Amino acid sequence: MPEPDALAANQNRPAEALGIAALRDQVARLERAGTVPGPRGKLHPITLGAPELDRHLPGGGLSRGALHEVAGAGADREQGAAAAGFAALWLARLQDSGPVLWIVRAGSRAAIDLHAHGLHQQRLDPKRLILVAAKRDDEALWAMEEGLKAKSLGAVLGEIETLDLTASRRLQLAAEAGGVTAFVLRRWRVMERATRDAAQPIAAVTRWRIAALPTTQEIGWRVELTRCRGGKPGSWIMERADGSDEFHIQWERGQPERAAPLSGDLAPLLGGRSLAAGARTG
């Protein structure tokens, strides 16, 4: 996890990073081991246990066997620290189903900025991680697709800078086929590129924008759900006190709580207008 004040400390890394070549063997071993005992709960959504947020998601939680995008907001779009912490929250709820494959973007082991302390804060056990280092986006995307074939995994997360509609569709189809939940953690090196890429359509079921907030608590975030297929977009203030397992979440002031008739980034473009009666479509 990147080096945010609230999320990481310079502690031992949770796992040795694998090279791309070693991932094939790891996936093969997981497949030979078979599915982890116990129900995977593919039909049951992942919940945070916070009704203020969970009820905006289809079925009352985050869809399993689907692709989800998490990115920073504002200045955090480059480091992605708060976004990584938010993604780890969901991964912590999937780790009982199997190990979590986390693909980091790093040219060397020294460049890896994922730390055990930040993971522990989100209740993600570093011992449940399989860490893979990829130098480029194409390597990270390949590793994600390979990981999604291993049904013994609890989840797959890849740190991706550039992601187009075609590549994201491949990930969504792979997640559906394998029943493994996929996350893309967007981390950009240049702010101009972040602004441009963040607005591009992708096939993710949900798209989240996370920003760190000043707080006296252990964690303080502004959480924005910008796209939710079959659910409702929204924005929340999310805090957790030191030592607590419960988040305090409130709907952000000034944001009307309303249902979105369409999922995806198209909904806000309608501006509240409706199609005229009898209008032809298609």
Side-chain angles (χ1 to χ4, degrees):
M1 190 171 304
E3 281 190 47
D5 292 338
L7 293 178
N10 189 14
Q11 299 190 2
N12 293 330
R13 297 188 178 97
E16 286 296 318
L18 299 173
I20 291 297
L23 178 60
R24 292 188 180 93
D25 293 335
Q26 192 80 330
V27 170
R29 285 196 294 271
L30 287 166
E31 289 176 336
R32 288 195 296 270
T35 303
V36 173
R40 291 185 59 85
K42 181 180 178 182
L43 299 179
H44 301 286
I46 318 155
T47 65
L48 286 180
E52 300 90 345
L53 189 150
D54 290 337
R55 69 188 179 200
H56 279 257
L57 300 167
L62 202 69
S63 300
R64 297 176 188 253
L67 175 66
H68 306 279
E69 180 199 50
V70 184
D76 196 53
R77 283 181 290 185
E78 292 183 83
Q79 281 203 333
F86 184 74
L89 274 182
W90 297 106
L91 296 176
R93 285 151 176 79
L94 288 160
Q95 63 186 335
D96 289 341
S97 298
V100 172
L101 176 63
W102 190 307
I103 299 121
V104 298
R105 281 291 308 278
S108 66
R109 290 183 179 180
I112 298 173
D113 55 4
L114 191 67
H115 297 284
H117 179 69
L119 300 175
H120 273 302
Q121 280 188 306
Q122 313 315 325
R123 311 307 187 249
L124 177 58
D125 184 356
K127 295 179 181 178
R128 300 295 287 164
L129 277 185
I130 300 171
L131 197 59
V132 171
K135 295 181 181 179
R136 304 187 310 270
D137 280 336
D138 60 340
E139 291 182 343
L141 289 167
W142 177 88
M144 287 190 71
E145 287 196 52
E146 289 298 304
L148 291 170
K149 296 175 184 177
K151 297 182 180 181
S152 291
L153 287 175
V156 173
L157 179 144
E159 297 180 8
I160 304 292
E161 181 176 18
T162 301
L163 183 66
D164 60 23
L165 189 58
T166 299
S168 64
R169 280 174 176 163
R170 287 177 62 93
L171 292 176
Q172 171 62 23
L173 291 173
E176 290 177 357
V180 179
T181 309
F183 295 85
V184 285
L185 174 62
R186 307 298 296 276
R187 296 183 66 182
W188 292 278
R189 294 179 176 85
V190 180
M191 189 62 71
E192 289 85 358
R193 183 162 191 168
T195 302
R196 182 181 70 250
D197 288 358
Q200 297 300 313
I202 63 172
V205 172
T206 63
R207 303 186 76 175
W208 302 84
R209 299 294 179 261
I210 315 297
L213 291 178
T215 177
T216 58
Q217 309 298 325
E218 180 183 10
I219 297 294
W221 293 325
R222 180 180 183 271
V223 175
E224 184 179 7
L225 177 59
T226 62
R227 182 190 196 275
C228 184
R229 189 186 305 169
K232 297 186 291 184
S235 181
W236 301 267
I237 302 299
M238 190 171 180
E239 293 182 305
R240 184 174 67 204
D242 291 342
S244 173
D245 285 327
E246 295 184 1
F247 277 95
H248 172 68
I249 301 179
Q250 61 180 4
W251 182 265
E252 189 172 18
R253 292 179 181 177
Q255 297 290 328
E257 188 166 359
R258 57 181 174 79
L262 297 175
S263 64
D265 297 328
L266 177 62
L269 300 180
L270 294 176
R273 293 174 293 167
S274 60
L275 292 172
R280 296 181 61 185
T281 59

